[in-house]
Amino acid sequence: MYITVFLILFPMFMFLLLVGMRHKNPKWLALGGAVVELAVSIYAWINFIPGAERQFSIVIPMPYSFGISFNVGIDGISLPLVLLTTVLVPLIILSSSDKNFNRPSLFYGLVLLMQAALIGVFTSFDVILFYVFWELALIPIYLICLIWGREGKGGKITIKFFIYTLVGSLLMLVGILFVYMTGDRPLGPNAFSLNVFYEIGQRMQPGQQRFVFWMIFVAFAIKMPIFPFHTWQPDTYTKAPTQGTMLLSGIMLKMGIYGVIRWLIPVVPFAVVQFSNVALILSVIGIVYASCIALVQKNLKTLVAYSSIAHVGLISAGVFTRSIIGIQGAMIQMFSHGLVVVGLFYLIDIIEQKAGSAEFKDLGGIRNVAPKFTTAFVVIMLGSVALPLTSGFIGEFLLINSLVQYQVWIGAIAGLTIILGAVYMLVAFQKAMSGELQPGLASFTDLSISEKVVLYPVVLLIIIIGVYPGPLMAVSESSVSALVNSLPDLTPFIRP
């Protein structure tokens, strides 16, 4: 029962411990807390019963709260994202082994506070609690980017990111309150619970559902992000410290996709049907647009930032097919994308440290002096381009399959992500790793022990999930099927 509560509150306790006391080695204390979180989440996975309703749940009504309750639990939709969070946070902390941050206790404390907020988002079954954790996740990543981001335009870029996400959050709050006001009050001590909101939302008139859809969709679209709400992302990823970029790309953007699956589709299903083509087209435009922009990038980090927009566009498109195969593919691909993008950004961080630049004009020939680094780069890159027997293949296959079943032409255009992704990633490899060794890279060294500790688990997971995805797919399969099958009959609302 208390596993979920522990997963949320323990990182908060570690945050207070880190910022409230002096520590000689705050990084190792933070790593210890993150490892404990990982162990508890693995215990939850081992004891999780696929097909059962949410587990490890607890509901505590808040006094004088107008129906708000501390209502948390884990089901097949939330568990993969909880696992992703607890797997990546220790790796993100380890990736800073060679860095000396100012105020390290605050830095690592904010990383753990963000972990608590992310797990809170993925396990909340009360909409106000979900919103509180959603907003809480913004604070630590904003401070991480602002305080430890790069010089120059970093402050302006971070403020742009903050404004974008804050505006989206306020729109979502308007949508939440509108749904609440539409219900027959008083609704009891659990007025904001997930099931109550499903019932209220599905009873609303089509016009009301359309209003709520746009209020909530924009918030999720900004967080993912999808076209045209993506403009904050490339600069933020480039200017943020590497660990901040990993948190944003590896975990935080999954909040938006999760929100669509958990909240948007079940609460306003009729409006989702009416606007699904719009959402799909925006997602597909994002795939092609971001892929084309990635092709002409001269900086490796910016290229990966745009590739992330393309991959998330495919995930978003699959979700809006509202099919079991599309949502199941999204669940697998979210986990794979988190692993791959964290691995890629860490590889780029290593290049920047050892080469002094991530510009293609300064790179070339790294494979001649760093074979282990090159091997890790190749495996993670192949996971990004969805090569069979890598983790990226499973999710992309299911997503494109769902899109072809939805509309053949949409599936065909979305499938370009595989071709274009292979082109820009192979070009990036050729420019950075192949050819003659650049004079400035003569001192480039191969992977150190600390770098292997981060990269080798990522490489192994990419291969293991690609070869044997069954355990991960089994976690979410029943919950995804139950969610899709619980939706009302939408046939009369589907436009021919």
Side-chain angles (χ1 to χ4, degrees), residues 21 65 108 240 245 258 289 361 400:
M21 299 175 63
S65 62
Y108 293 111
T245 304
Y258 173 83
Y289 165 81
K361 64 181 178 62
I400 293 175

Side-chain angles (χ1 to χ4, degrees), residues 287-369:
I287 293 170
V288 178
Y289 165 81
S291 297
C292 292
I293 296 296
L295 284 170
V296 299
Q297 289 305 306
K298 299 179 180 180
N299 181 285
L300 185 55
K301 192 171 187 179
T302 309
L303 182 149
V304 174
Y306 277 104
S307 77
S308 181
I309 296 175
H311 287 293
V312 171
L314 180 61
I315 298 172
S316 171
V319 168
F320 276 101
T321 64
R322 308 176 313 280
S323 64
I324 293 174
I325 190 173
I327 297 177
Q328 179 75 336
M331 297 302 304
I332 302 300
Q333 191 64 2
M334 279 194 284
F335 198 97
S336 173
H337 177 266
L339 292 173
V340 167
V341 78
V342 164
L344 285 173
F345 279 120
Y346 186 52
L347 289 167
I348 295 167
D349 185 56
I350 294 172
I351 291 174
E352 286 183 320
Q353 289 184 64
K354 297 182 178 181
S357 172
E359 299 288 331
F360 287 126
K361 64 181 178 62
D362 300 319
L363 304 177
I366 292 177
R367 69 182 179 126
N368 298 318
V369 293

Side-chain angles (χ1 to χ4, degrees), residues 138 142 146 153-168 222 228-236 306:
L138 176 61
Y142 169 75
L146 185 66
K153 297 171 64 178
K156 293 180 181 179
I157 291 168
T158 302
I159 290 172
K160 178 182 178 180
F161 158 65
F162 181 82
I163 292 173
Y164 256 82
T165 52
L166 182 61
V167 169
I222 290 171
F229 306 100
H230 67 285
T231 57
W232 63 268
Q233 191 245 47
D235 287 339
T236 303
Y306 277 104

Side-chain angles (χ1 to χ4, degrees), residues 200-220:
I200 297 173
Q202 292 176 14
R203 291 200 307 264
M204 290 193 302
Q205 297 299 315
Q208 295 173 321
Q209 288 203 24
R210 287 193 288 268
F211 174 78
V212 172
F213 172 89
W214 286 109
M215 292 295 101
I216 299 179
F217 171 73
V218 171
F220 295 154

Side-chain angles (χ1 to χ4, degrees), residues 8-79:
I8 296 171
L9 297 185
F10 180 69
M12 292 185 177
F13 168 76
M14 294 300 298
F15 163 75
L16 295 175
L17 188 63
L18 281 162
V19 301
M21 299 175 63
R22 286 191 171 186
H23 304 280
K24 291 184 178 180
N25 295 300
K27 174 177 64 182
W28 299 113
L29 180 61
L31 179 61
V35 170
V36 170
E37 282 280 288
L38 175 59
V40 174
S41 68
I42 292 174
Y43 175 83
W45 179 35
I46 293 172
N47 289 275
F48 183 79
I49 304 173
E53 295 182 358
R54 65 190 179 112
Q55 299 157 57
F56 317 117
S57 60
I58 186 170
V59 181
I60 304 175
M62 302 289 186
Y64 312 108
S65 62
F66 305 101
I68 304 170
S69 61
F70 188 82
N71 185 350
V72 295
I74 295 175
D75 67 357
I77 296 174
S78 56
L79 181 56

